[in-house]
Amino acid sequence: MPVFQHPESPGPAPSGTGQPSLLRRIGLPVALSLVFVLFTGWLDGGEGVAPLQLLQQPWYLLANALPGLLLALLLLVLSRRPLLSFGLAFLLQGVLYGVNALKVKQLGTPLMPADFRMVGQLRKGGLHLLGGYLPATPWPYLALAIGIALVVLAWRKESPMFARRTKGKRLLAGTAVLLVLGSLLGGAPAWSRFYDGQTLWMEPWSASSTAQHSGLVSSLMMFHLHFGQERKKADPNAAMQLIGEADGALRERLRAAPDDPGAMPDIVVVQSESFFDPAILKGFENHDLTPNLHRLARQGYSGALHVPTFGGGTIRTEFEVLTGLSLRYFEDLQFPYLQLNSKVVPGMVRTLRAHGYETIAIHGNNPAFWNRNTAFKAIGFDRFVSQSGFVNAKDLDGQYMADRAMTDEIMAQLKDAGPPQFLFAISIEAHGPYDVPPADAAKRDAIAVPDRLADEDKTELRNYLYHMQHADEELGRLADLLAKRERPTLLLFYGDHLPGLSGAFETLGFVDGKDMLSEPGTWLLVDPRGREQAQREDLASWMLPGKLLERAGIHDDAYFALTQVLAPQLAVLTRAPGAPPQAEDHAEQRIDQAMESVALLRLKGKLDRMLPRPDTLPMAAGFVQEEVLPGAAAAAGAHQ
């Protein structure tokens, strides 16, 4: 019976016995390298790396293909088969571009270096959540299967191009290629002179534009080299100067007495998945799809909310709300819960614990996803109630836990006796993808959407609005239930980001003319038992904790007081990665840069000694407020 045997020889083949000529051994890899560069440009689709640009700007095409080329050469040294090596490298590169296409479709922005941290989240609930975004059409899977089949065929049929034993030459070549590739992926500083905005095209504020002109791979390398390794240093003098200029307003806020010194209210915060008011969208201006939001806004505080993400990345907004730190000042923290190693993170939760609050986080999902189970301990939560601990753990609508189940869990956790409670509840019902049928398809189909949308976009928008209206209904139900409690309760409600409805947003547009990456969401702060004069103020998500603590009568954290002083000038600067940057004049830039130093010092635990302390302040009688920063008082008044 014949036995299959690879046509390999244990040593150098005799002359003329099938050993490829030196010309072929050099010419074939060179030819395959050129083909690899051109095919990478074709696969990329960016205007700056198109194959036709080879003669005009060859460095663009080479830089975009270089990591893949180095991988192909390393595989060539290991396998000795050129077609197998270049084919496998191109297949892996194709998978990268496929994942990028999914992200662009859902979120409107290309892959960034920090996105690769999601690989570690796949076994922590991420596979279930992210798997829903995989394409429904069979063509991508067929292409992948064909690619794998071709690689297997090359492995079985292609003859080695050179001998296995080369007296150390293979080892030397492989080691050299591995070191070069390792230094590139590891972010060796020398590569930053090749992957930069002078050699290539780079817009630090826009990954989309960078990828379009320089290619996806070059964009990843540039952001990795120029921002992935960067560690900003605080300027204590700038921070001190800013605090000094704000001293008058800071001291007034720290002197303020609580409205009712004898009653510490329970606090419920609802971070509503992908919630926004559709009235900001063209075609929905005259539709009231959030009646409970509007009803409650007439008896409390509300406004536009600028958040640091779009379509996903919930923990970016969540981190800002819990800590009061703006991620604008921490460009290396794309996914803070996955990157922070601090055992103690300052923020609203620890301030409330210092005032005797029991602090509880609630989320109807896997507690390990986004590393919340570890991050919440560092942030200061006493307990974390996740999906398995819910009263109605199996109450789903569509793919995720229904918002009504979260409302039930909030009410189950609240007690009428004991210390005051802080509940931070994270909803998930309205999470994408939005092509999953909901529990009540007939109700979904009855939702009117503009005719000019493509059929796919109509389906996704209807599915989203179906879940979003549930969020509004549960907001109303929760407020009514809290109003009936014996203990006073404050309710803060906000959307973590706009949904990833790129197709619908691009077709319809927004009433204010902004793009989807710059468009703000909404926030609401209300006492469900009382009726106050409605006040509207535009804030950034990192300013919400200061507003909430102030309303709860907690005035002894000078950092949060500072965020309120500066809110009118800095709120609009917060926006999703890739959004066009907001123009700033010289004075605004100075305040923004000084606040960056304040935030850096705060996270490192080095800020408190620079801030005024409430226990050293004189009595408030006769105090006259000082104007602190140019234009701050006027801007604050304009938002009332």
PDB file of all heavy atoms in Angstrom, residues 90-114:
ATOM      1  N   PHE A  90      -1.823  36.258   4.199  1.00  0.00           N
ATOM      2  CA  PHE A  90      -2.872  37.069   3.584  1.00  0.00           C
ATOM      3  C   PHE A  90      -4.245  36.675   4.136  1.00  0.00           C
ATOM      4  O   PHE A  90      -5.123  37.525   4.323  1.00  0.00           O
ATOM      5  CB  PHE A  90      -2.851  36.916   2.064  1.00  0.00           C
ATOM      6  CG  PHE A  90      -3.724  37.909   1.349  1.00  0.00           C
ATOM      7  CD1 PHE A  90      -3.314  39.223   1.187  1.00  0.00           C
ATOM      8  CD2 PHE A  90      -4.967  37.537   0.856  1.00  0.00           C
ATOM      9  CE1 PHE A  90      -4.116  40.152   0.535  1.00  0.00           C
ATOM     10  CE2 PHE A  90      -5.773  38.460   0.201  1.00  0.00           C
ATOM     11  CZ  PHE A  90      -5.339  39.763   0.036  1.00  0.00           C
ATOM     12  N   LEU A  91      -4.442  35.392   4.419  1.00  0.00           N
ATOM     13  CA  LEU A  91      -5.713  34.941   5.001  1.00  0.00           C
ATOM     14  C   LEU A  91      -5.925  35.572   6.378  1.00  0.00           C
ATOM     15  O   LEU A  91      -7.023  36.061   6.682  1.00  0.00           O
ATOM     16  CB  LEU A  91      -5.720  33.420   5.109  1.00  0.00           C
ATOM     17  CG  LEU A  91      -6.959  32.788   5.755  1.00  0.00           C
ATOM     18  CD1 LEU A  91      -8.195  33.060   4.918  1.00  0.00           C
ATOM     19  CD2 LEU A  91      -6.766  31.281   5.946  1.00  0.00           C
ATOM     20  N   LEU A  92      -4.900  35.555   7.207  1.00  0.00           N
ATOM     21  CA  LEU A  92      -5.009  36.164   8.534  1.00  0.00           C
ATOM     22  C   LEU A  92      -5.261  37.667   8.424  1.00  0.00           C
ATOM     23  O   LEU A  92      -6.040  38.239   9.191  1.00  0.00           O
ATOM     24  CB  LEU A  92      -3.740  35.897   9.341  1.00  0.00           C
ATOM     25  CG  LEU A  92      -3.482  34.427   9.696  1.00  0.00           C
ATOM     26  CD1 LEU A  92      -2.125  34.273  10.367  1.00  0.00           C
ATOM     27  CD2 LEU A  92      -4.588  33.894  10.602  1.00  0.00           C
ATOM     28  N   GLN A  93      -4.623  38.286   7.463  1.00  0.00           N
ATOM     29  CA  GLN A  93      -4.846  39.707   7.237  1.00  0.00           C
ATOM     30  C   GLN A  93      -6.283  39.956   6.770  1.00  0.00           C
ATOM     31  O   GLN A  93      -6.913  40.949   7.149  1.00  0.00           O
ATOM     32  CB  GLN A  93      -3.849  40.221   6.192  1.00  0.00           C
ATOM     33  CG  GLN A  93      -3.823  41.723   6.029  1.00  0.00           C
ATOM     34  CD  GLN A  93      -2.649  42.164   5.174  1.00  0.00           C
ATOM     35  OE1 GLN A  93      -1.664  42.661   5.698  1.00  0.00           O
ATOM     36  NE2 GLN A  93      -2.761  41.990   3.883  1.00  0.00           N
ATOM     37  N   GLY A  94      -6.807  39.034   5.967  1.00  0.00           N
ATOM     38  CA  GLY A  94      -8.189  39.151   5.521  1.00  0.00           C
ATOM     39  C   GLY A  94      -9.176  39.073   6.667  1.00  0.00           C
ATOM     40  O   GLY A  94     -10.200  39.777   6.678  1.00  0.00           O
ATOM     41  N   VAL A  95      -8.893  38.210   7.651  1.00  0.00           N
ATOM     42  CA  VAL A  95      -9.745  38.135   8.839  1.00  0.00           C
ATOM     43  C   VAL A  95      -9.730  39.469   9.580  1.00  0.00           C
ATOM     44  O   VAL A  95     -10.775  39.953  10.043  1.00  0.00           O
ATOM     45  CB  VAL A  95      -9.274  36.991   9.761  1.00  0.00           C
ATOM     46  CG1 VAL A  95     -10.015  37.030  11.096  1.00  0.00           C
ATOM     47  CG2 VAL A  95      -9.480  35.645   9.073  1.00  0.00           C
ATOM     48  N   LEU A  96      -8.540  40.086   9.694  1.00  0.00           N
ATOM     49  CA  LEU A  96      -8.430  41.391  10.333  1.00  0.00           C
ATOM     50  C   LEU A  96      -9.305  42.416   9.626  1.00  0.00           C
ATOM     51  O   LEU A  96     -10.053  43.179  10.266  1.00  0.00           O
ATOM     52  CB  LEU A  96      -6.967  41.847  10.332  1.00  0.00           C
ATOM     53  CG  LEU A  96      -6.707  43.266  10.862  1.00  0.00           C
ATOM     54  CD1 LEU A  96      -6.922  43.318  12.364  1.00  0.00           C
ATOM     55  CD2 LEU A  96      -5.295  43.723  10.513  1.00  0.00           C
ATOM     56  N   TYR A  97      -9.253  42.433   8.311  1.00  0.00           N
ATOM     57  CA  TYR A  97     -10.059  43.391   7.554  1.00  0.00           C
ATOM     58  C   TYR A  97     -11.546  43.072   7.665  1.00  0.00           C
ATOM     59  O   TYR A  97     -12.390  43.975   7.635  1.00  0.00           O
ATOM     60  CB  TYR A  97      -9.611  43.413   6.093  1.00  0.00           C
ATOM     61  CG  TYR A  97      -8.462  44.359   5.839  1.00  0.00           C
ATOM     62  CD1 TYR A  97      -7.152  43.890   5.789  1.00  0.00           C
ATOM     63  CD2 TYR A  97      -8.681  45.722   5.673  1.00  0.00           C
ATOM     64  CE1 TYR A  97      -6.087  44.755   5.568  1.00  0.00           C
ATOM     65  CE2 TYR A  97      -7.630  46.595   5.455  1.00  0.00           C
ATOM     66  CZ  TYR A  97      -6.334  46.111   5.398  1.00  0.00           C
ATOM     67  OH  TYR A  97      -5.291  46.979   5.191  1.00  0.00           O
ATOM     68  N   GLY A  98     -11.883  41.788   7.789  1.00  0.00           N
ATOM     69  CA  GLY A  98     -13.287  41.427   7.970  1.00  0.00           C
ATOM     70  C   GLY A  98     -13.835  41.937   9.291  1.00  0.00           C
ATOM     71  O   GLY A  98     -14.955  42.475   9.351  1.00  0.00           O
ATOM     72  N   VAL A  99     -13.064  41.782  10.354  1.00  0.00           N
ATOM     73  CA  VAL A  99     -13.478  42.302  11.662  1.00  0.00           C
ATOM     74  C   VAL A  99     -13.595  43.819  11.606  1.00  0.00           C
ATOM     75  O   VAL A  99     -14.531  44.415  12.167  1.00  0.00           O
ATOM     76  CB  VAL A  99     -12.478  41.866  12.753  1.00  0.00           C
ATOM     77  CG1 VAL A  99     -12.809  42.534  14.084  1.00  0.00           C
ATOM     78  CG2 VAL A  99     -12.486  40.353  12.907  1.00  0.00           C
ATOM     79  N   ASN A 100     -12.657  44.462  10.918  1.00  0.00           N
ATOM     80  CA  ASN A 100     -12.720  45.913  10.780  1.00  0.00           C
ATOM     81  C   ASN A 100     -13.995  46.337  10.060  1.00  0.00           C
ATOM     82  O   ASN A 100     -14.646  47.325  10.438  1.00  0.00           O
ATOM     83  CB  ASN A 100     -11.494  46.407  10.007  1.00  0.00           C
ATOM     84  CG  ASN A 100     -11.505  47.910   9.805  1.00  0.00           C
ATOM     85  OD1 ASN A 100     -11.345  48.679  10.737  1.00  0.00           O
ATOM     86  ND2 ASN A 100     -11.721  48.332   8.563  1.00  0.00           N
ATOM     87  N   ALA A 101     -14.369  45.611   9.011  1.00  0.00           N
ATOM     88  CA  ALA A 101     -15.588  45.950   8.268  1.00  0.00           C
ATOM     89  C   ALA A 101     -16.817  45.860   9.166  1.00  0.00           C
ATOM     90  O   ALA A 101     -17.738  46.691   9.068  1.00  0.00           O
ATOM     91  CB  ALA A 101     -15.738  45.022   7.063  1.00  0.00           C
ATOM     92  N   LEU A 102     -16.853  44.868  10.060  1.00  0.00           N
ATOM     93  CA  LEU A 102     -17.972  44.740  10.986  1.00  0.00           C
ATOM     94  C   LEU A 102     -18.031  45.940  11.936  1.00  0.00           C
ATOM     95  O   LEU A 102     -19.113  46.478  12.213  1.00  0.00           O
ATOM     96  CB  LEU A 102     -17.842  43.453  11.794  1.00  0.00           C
ATOM     97  CG  LEU A 102     -18.051  42.139  11.037  1.00  0.00           C
ATOM     98  CD1 LEU A 102     -17.778  40.956  11.955  1.00  0.00           C
ATOM     99  CD2 LEU A 102     -19.462  42.056  10.471  1.00  0.00           C
ATOM    100  N   LYS A 103     -16.873  46.370  12.424  1.00  0.00           N
ATOM    101  CA  LYS A 103     -16.865  47.502  13.349  1.00  0.00           C
ATOM    102  C   LYS A 103     -17.283  48.786  12.638  1.00  0.00           C
ATOM    103  O   LYS A 103     -18.059  49.580  13.172  1.00  0.00           O
ATOM    104  CB  LYS A 103     -15.484  47.677  13.983  1.00  0.00           C
ATOM    105  CG  LYS A 103     -15.493  48.781  15.039  1.00  0.00           C
ATOM    106  CD  LYS A 103     -14.137  49.094  15.619  1.00  0.00           C
ATOM    107  CE  LYS A 103     -14.275  50.241  16.615  1.00  0.00           C
ATOM    108  NZ  LYS A 103     -12.973  50.724  17.110  1.00  0.00           N
ATOM    109  N   VAL A 104     -16.778  48.989  11.426  1.00  0.00           N
ATOM    110  CA  VAL A 104     -17.146  50.194  10.673  1.00  0.00           C
ATOM    111  C   VAL A 104     -18.644  50.210  10.401  1.00  0.00           C
ATOM    112  O   VAL A 104     -19.300  51.246  10.514  1.00  0.00           O
ATOM    113  CB  VAL A 104     -16.346  50.274   9.357  1.00  0.00           C
ATOM    114  CG1 VAL A 104     -16.882  51.389   8.470  1.00  0.00           C
ATOM    115  CG2 VAL A 104     -14.867  50.499   9.649  1.00  0.00           C
ATOM    116  N   LYS A 105     -19.200  49.069  10.063  1.00  0.00           N
ATOM    117  CA  LYS A 105     -20.636  48.989   9.772  1.00  0.00           C
ATOM    118  C   LYS A 105     -21.466  49.332  11.004  1.00  0.00           C
ATOM    119  O   LYS A 105     -22.472  50.044  10.909  1.00  0.00           O
ATOM    120  CB  LYS A 105     -20.994  47.593   9.280  1.00  0.00           C
ATOM    121  CG  LYS A 105     -22.479  47.405   8.918  1.00  0.00           C
ATOM    122  CD  LYS A 105     -22.734  46.012   8.398  1.00  0.00           C
ATOM    123  CE  LYS A 105     -24.189  45.853   7.950  1.00  0.00           C
ATOM    124  NZ  LYS A 105     -25.138  45.999   9.082  1.00  0.00           N
ATOM    125  N   GLN A 106     -21.055  48.851  12.163  1.00  0.00           N
ATOM    126  CA  GLN A 106     -21.837  49.045  13.377  1.00  0.00           C
ATOM    127  C   GLN A 106     -21.567  50.390  14.042  1.00  0.00           C
ATOM    128  O   GLN A 106     -22.490  51.040  14.533  1.00  0.00           O
ATOM    129  CB  GLN A 106     -21.553  47.915  14.371  1.00  0.00           C
ATOM    130  CG  GLN A 106     -22.015  46.548  13.900  1.00  0.00           C
ATOM    131  CD  GLN A 106     -23.519  46.445  13.762  1.00  0.00           C
ATOM    132  OE1 GLN A 106     -24.282  47.089  14.477  1.00  0.00           O
ATOM    133  NE2 GLN A 106     -23.970  45.622  12.820  1.00  0.00           N
ATOM    134  N   LEU A 107     -20.296  50.794  14.086  1.00  0.00           N
ATOM    135  CA  LEU A 107     -19.914  51.948  14.886  1.00  0.00           C
ATOM    136  C   LEU A 107     -19.390  53.123  14.079  1.00  0.00           C
ATOM    137  O   LEU A 107     -19.175  54.203  14.625  1.00  0.00           O
ATOM    138  CB  LEU A 107     -18.851  51.553  15.925  1.00  0.00           C
ATOM    139  CG  LEU A 107     -19.220  50.376  16.834  1.00  0.00           C
ATOM    140  CD1 LEU A 107     -18.115  50.127  17.840  1.00  0.00           C
ATOM    141  CD2 LEU A 107     -20.535  50.639  17.545  1.00  0.00           C
ATOM    142  N   GLY A 108     -19.132  52.911  12.779  1.00  0.00           N
ATOM    143  CA  GLY A 108     -18.683  54.018  11.950  1.00  0.00           C
ATOM    144  C   GLY A 108     -17.224  54.375  12.094  1.00  0.00           C
ATOM    145  O   GLY A 108     -16.776  55.360  11.517  1.00  0.00           O
ATOM    146  N   THR A 109     -16.456  53.601  12.855  1.00  0.00           N
ATOM    147  CA  THR A 109     -15.031  53.876  13.043  1.00  0.00           C
ATOM    148  C   THR A 109     -14.231  52.587  12.859  1.00  0.00           C
ATOM    149  O   THR A 109     -14.720  51.500  13.159  1.00  0.00           O
ATOM    150  CB  THR A 109     -14.740  54.437  14.444  1.00  0.00           C
ATOM    151  OG1 THR A 109     -15.215  53.516  15.434  1.00  0.00           O
ATOM    152  CG2 THR A 109     -15.432  55.774  14.650  1.00  0.00           C
ATOM    153  N   PRO A 110     -12.983  52.691  12.376  1.00  0.00           N
ATOM    154  CA  PRO A 110     -12.164  51.499  12.152  1.00  0.00           C
ATOM    155  C   PRO A 110     -11.574  50.962  13.442  1.00  0.00           C
ATOM    156  O   PRO A 110     -11.700  51.567  14.513  1.00  0.00           O
ATOM    157  CB  PRO A 110     -11.068  52.005  11.211  1.00  0.00           C
ATOM    158  CG  PRO A 110     -10.921  53.453  11.569  1.00  0.00           C
ATOM    159  CD  PRO A 110     -12.302  53.928  11.932  1.00  0.00           C
ATOM    160  N   LEU A 111     -10.929  49.822  13.325  1.00  0.00           N
ATOM    161  CA  LEU A 111     -10.264  49.211  14.475  1.00  0.00           C
ATOM    162  C   LEU A 111      -9.192  50.137  15.043  1.00  0.00           C
ATOM    163  O   LEU A 111      -8.520  50.857  14.306  1.00  0.00           O
ATOM    164  CB  LEU A 111      -9.623  47.887  14.080  1.00  0.00           C
ATOM    165  CG  LEU A 111     -10.547  46.684  13.875  1.00  0.00           C
ATOM    166  CD1 LEU A 111      -9.759  45.512  13.320  1.00  0.00           C
ATOM    167  CD2 LEU A 111     -11.231  46.292  15.183  1.00  0.00           C
ATOM    168  N   MET A 112      -9.043  50.070  16.357  1.00  0.00           N
ATOM    169  CA  MET A 112      -7.987  50.769  17.070  1.00  0.00           C
ATOM    170  C   MET A 112      -7.184  49.750  17.872  1.00  0.00           C
ATOM    171  O   MET A 112      -7.679  48.652  18.155  1.00  0.00           O
ATOM    172  CB  MET A 112      -8.588  51.831  17.994  1.00  0.00           C
ATOM    173  CG  MET A 112      -9.269  52.962  17.251  1.00  0.00           C
ATOM    174  SD  MET A 112      -8.082  54.068  16.477  1.00  0.00           S
ATOM    175  CE  MET A 112      -7.456  54.964  17.906  1.00  0.00           C
ATOM    176  N   PRO A 113      -5.952  50.070  18.245  1.00  0.00           N
ATOM    177  CA  PRO A 113      -5.136  49.095  18.983  1.00  0.00           C
ATOM    178  C   PRO A 113      -5.815  48.538  20.225  1.00  0.00           C
ATOM    179  O   PRO A 113      -5.709  47.345  20.518  1.00  0.00           O
ATOM    180  CB  PRO A 113      -3.875  49.899  19.335  1.00  0.00           C
ATOM    181  CG  PRO A 113      -3.761  50.902  18.237  1.00  0.00           C
ATOM    182  CD  PRO A 113      -5.180  51.284  17.911  1.00  0.00           C
ATOM    183  N   ALA A 114      -6.537  49.384  20.960  1.00  0.00           N
ATOM    184  CA  ALA A 114      -7.169  48.914  22.193  1.00  0.00           C
ATOM    185  C   ALA A 114      -8.254  47.881  21.931  1.00  0.00           C
ATOM    186  O   ALA A 114      -8.616  47.118  22.838  1.00  0.00           O
ATOM    187  CB  ALA A 114      -7.761  50.099  22.960  1.00  0.00           C
TER     188      ALA A 114
END
